[in-house]
Amino acid sequence: MKKYTYPTVLTIAGTDPSGGAGIQADLKTFAALGCYGMSVVTALVAQNTCGVRAIHSVPPEFVREQLLAVLEDIRPNAIKIGMVHSVGLVDVIVDILAAYPDIPVVFDPVMIATSGHRLIEEDTVAAIVEKLFPLSAVITPNMDEASFLTGIPVKGIDDMQEAAAMIMQMKPKSLLLKGGHLQSEKLTSMLVNAAGLIQEYHSDKIDTKNMHGSGCTLSSAIASYLAIGDTIRDAVAKAQEYVHGAIFNAADVVIGKGNGPLNHSYNPQKMIKNEMV
């Protein structure tokens, strides 16, 4: 009898008890795109659609045990990393993942809350840039995070181009600089690598406040498409389309009192089954 397996994706991130962001959004995205999701919790985050209230850090050694438990049993086809808010967590993740250089890593550098509140300390930023960026197949900062990383204001397309060049000096393999905060009817995101611009992605701005978890969802969607076997360019293009649809199909829905979540399941795919060789 033939045997099959699923495309597997691991998220290493914090939680969102309100269900719209963090690991909860990641797992919803993996499932919606036909992948088998796994999770390692880095932080228990007290948050909802109105904002972050508190963060309870998971001890790095317990994160290590979670990682080993997953990786020794189910090998992921791709890994998404979200909230990593201490140097100890950076060191553990890098130490473990160094043994798996062939697994593509999508890193969403969660540094600034929607409220503008900084979520990590300066020494952690330095450790992320030095150790996690070079490990990543693609990093996905938004404009606020790009500004935080580079120290320059990032308000328009020209600023994005300048910031992208500066961030690429920090040695990620590639960078998707998200333009969701652009004050224009058309939104532009840029995928670049060390050689320069690979592709720009354009979409219409949707009139809605339901954007909670959009960054988590995008990075998880990229990881899902990489797990399925797409190139970085195609994975990003498909992920952008998926997130745009998830925002569009949630635009008129009221969930929570603040910025509502996306509709992750607007077009769910059946779990993909790949024949084992």
Side-chain angles (χ1 to χ4, degrees):
M1 184 176 68
K2 291 181 179 179
K3 297 286 187 180
Y4 298 86
T5 189
Y6 305 125
T8 52
V9 195
L10 170 64
T11 172
I12 306 170
T15 64
D16 175 11
S18 71
I23 275 177
Q24 283 86 342
D26 298 341
L27 293 173
K28 290 176 182 179
T29 301
F30 300 158
L33 297 178
C35 295
Y36 180 82
M38 304 167 288
S39 61
V40 166
V41 179
T42 59
L44 305 175
V45 184
Q47 68 170 312
N48 56 25
T49 62
C50 298
V52 174
R53 297 187 180 190
I55 300 172
H56 180 72
S57 182
V58 175
E61 283 309 306
F62 191 70
V63 172
R64 180 187 297 274
E65 291 304 315
Q66 292 181 77
L67 279 167
L68 291 174
V70 173
L71 293 168
E72 290 173 1
D73 186 35
I74 306 171
R75 184 183 179 88
N77 297 117
I79 297 172
K80 174 261 171 81
I81 301 176
M83 177 177 280
V84 181
H85 59 287
S86 75
V87 174
L89 288 172
V90 173
D91 289 341
V92 162
I93 292 168
V94 170
D95 181 53
I96 298 295
L97 296 190
Y100 301 89
D102 57 323
I103 300 176
V105 172
V106 180
F107 178 39
D108 182 22
V110 180
M111 297 178 175
I112 308 291
T114 303
S115 62
H117 178 67
R118 195 168 87 176
L119 299 174
I120 59 177
E121 298 302 321
E122 206 65 48
D123 58 345
T124 307
V125 176
I128 284 172
V129 170
E130 178 188 353
K131 300 175 182 179
L132 266 181
F133 277 16
L135 193 72
S136 303
V138 59
I139 63 172
T140 62
N142 60 29
M143 294 169 66
D144 290 341
E145 289 155 348
S147 180
F148 180 61
L149 284 166
T150 61
I152 66 171
V154 181
K155 302 294 184 183
I157 297 293
D158 291 343
D159 301 332
M160 290 175 67
Q161 292 171 342
E162 182 180 359
M166 294 173 69
I167 294 171
M168 284 308 302
Q169 296 300 312
M170 302 173 190
K171 305 301 183 184
K173 295 180 180 68
S174 61
L175 158 72
L176 176 67
L177 181 48
K178 300 176 294 190
H181 295 168
L182 286 169
Q183 298 302 310
S184 59
E185 291 304 309
K186 286 282 187 181
L187 302 179
T188 299
S189 295
M190 300 174 181
L191 178 64
V192 302
N193 63 14
L197 180 68
I198 299 174
Q199 189 165 333
E200 288 187 352
Y201 303 90
H202 305 282
S203 61
D204 294 325
K205 180 178 284 188
I206 299 169
D207 184 18
T208 179
K209 67 175 184 175
N210 294 342
M211 301 286 286
H212 180 58
S214 55
C216 305
T217 300
L218 178 63
S219 55
S220 295
I222 295 170
S224 296
Y225 286 118
L226 290 175
I228 292 168
D230 286 328
T231 64
I232 290 282
R233 184 197 295 260
D234 289 344
V236 170
K238 291 179 181 179
Q240 294 267 8
E241 184 178 350
Y242 167 72
V243 171
H244 189 267
I247 295 170
F248 179 81
N249 284 280
D252 58 354
V253 179
V254 178
I255 294 289
K257 299 175 181 177
N259 298 307
L262 281 57
N263 181 349
H264 295 89
S265 299
Y266 72 95
N267 184 29
Q269 307 300 304
K270 291 183 178 179
M271 189 76 87
I272 298 167
K273 293 174 66 177
N274 295 320
E275 185 176 347
M276 298 180 71
V277 179

